[in-house]
């Protein structure tokens, strides 16, 4: 009899807890689409492309100068002593390695700046989605990519979130720090 009373109390407490729990109100947001189409995200991609092209042009120009120096050095080979020629070749190779290292550092810094800029967009996206969820009375926001199934009445607010995100964050400036 005591076991039956204990089971009954456990069931009563569980039902009471479930009844007191808030009902889930879910909205769906396609964050992948937003991160492709948001003005700030598009602006970030454009800036990264522009900076990458500028860095590549600078690297290519510096590398071309080193190639010209190498060709000039090859022509002077017979005029220089063996040791002097070897020293100049080594100095040229060292400069080329330094140039390549510098180019790699620039790519790394640009990538870090891109990641930081995208993070700013993502944080603002979450704030906009949270605010919109509060306005429509939702207490859960689900990313569309994680959704397995929803009926036609599911509340998808991707367009609304995208519009608001574009209003509050029309662009992000890439800040490449040394």
């Amino acid at each position: 009899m005591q076991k039956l009373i204990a089971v009954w109390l456990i069931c009563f407490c569980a039902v009471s807890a479930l009844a007191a729990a808030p009902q889930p109100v879910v909205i769906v947001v396609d964050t992948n689409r937003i991160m492709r189409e948001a003005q700030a995200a598009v602006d970030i991609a454009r800036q990264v492309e522009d900076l990458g092209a500028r860095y590549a042009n600078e690297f290519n120009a510096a590398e071309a100068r080193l190639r010209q120096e190498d060709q000039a050095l090859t022509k002077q080979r017979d005029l220089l002593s063996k040791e002097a020629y070897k020293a100049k070749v080594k100095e040229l190779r060292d400069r080329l390695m330094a140039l390549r290292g510098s180019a790699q550092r620039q790519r790394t810094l640009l990538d870090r700046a891109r990641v930081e800029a995208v993070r700013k967009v993502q944080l603002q996206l979450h704030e906009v989605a949270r605010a919109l969820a509060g306005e429509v009375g939702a207490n859960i926001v689900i990313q569309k990519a994680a959704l397995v199934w929803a009926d036609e009445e599911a509340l998808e607010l991707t367009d609304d979130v995208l519009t608001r995100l574009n209003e509050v964050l029309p662009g992000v400036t890439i800040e490449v720090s040394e």
Side-chain angles (χ1 to χ4, degrees), residues 70-81 85 88:
D70 182 48
Q71 290 170 355
L73 183 59
T74 301
K75 290 177 183 177
Q76 295 177 2
R77 184 176 192 166
D78 293 336
L79 303 175
L80 298 172
S81 69
Y85 178 75
K88 287 191 179 234

Side-chain angles (χ1 to χ4, degrees), residues 160-173:
D160 298 317
V161 171
L162 180 58
T163 299
R164 286 194 187 183
L165 179 61
N166 286 338
E167 289 171 2
V168 298
L169 191 66
V172 174
T173 301

Side-chain angles (χ1 to χ4, degrees), residues 90-106:
K90 181 183 179 333
E91 186 263 334
L92 202 57
R93 285 185 183 154
D94 289 347
R95 287 175 45 207
L96 180 60
M97 294 305 290
L99 177 66
R100 289 181 177 162
S102 176
Q104 180 60 45
R105 280 188 298 283
Q106 281 181 326

Side-chain angles (χ1 to χ4, degrees), residues 7-19:
V7 169
W8 183 78
L9 283 173
I10 290 171
C11 289
F12 178 74
C13 291
V15 168
S16 297
L18 286 176

Side-chain angles (χ1 to χ4, degrees), residues 41-138:
V42 170
D43 187 42
I44 290 167
R46 180 195 54 76
Q47 290 177 68
V48 167
E49 187 175 322
D50 291 349
L51 287 169
R54 189 179 89 205
Y55 294 160
N57 289 339
E58 290 171 1
F59 172 78
N60 291 338
E63 190 176 45
R65 285 190 299 274
L66 287 175
R67 264 195 309 274
Q68 287 174 347
E69 287 182 41
D70 182 48
Q71 290 170 355
L73 183 59
T74 301
K75 290 177 183 177
Q76 295 177 2
R77 184 176 192 166
D78 293 336
L79 303 175
L80 298 172
S81 69
K82 196 173 198 177
E83 294 79 29
Y85 178 75
K86 282 183 180 182
K88 287 191 179 234
V89 167
K90 181 183 179 333
E91 186 263 334
L92 202 57
R93 285 185 183 154
D94 289 347
R95 287 175 45 207
L96 180 60
M97 294 305 290
L99 177 66
R100 289 181 177 162
S102 176
Q104 180 60 45
R105 280 188 298 283
Q106 281 181 326
R107 283 190 294 271
T108 299
L109 291 172
L110 181 58
D111 190 51
R112 283 182 190 158
R114 182 193 57 78
V115 166
E116 181 60 28
V118 167
R119 189 181 70 75
K120 289 176 184 176
V121 176
Q122 289 171 332
L123 289 173
Q124 192 63 53
L125 166 60
H126 292 157
E127 290 301 316
V128 168
R130 182 179 294 129
L132 192 57
E135 290 175 22
V136 298

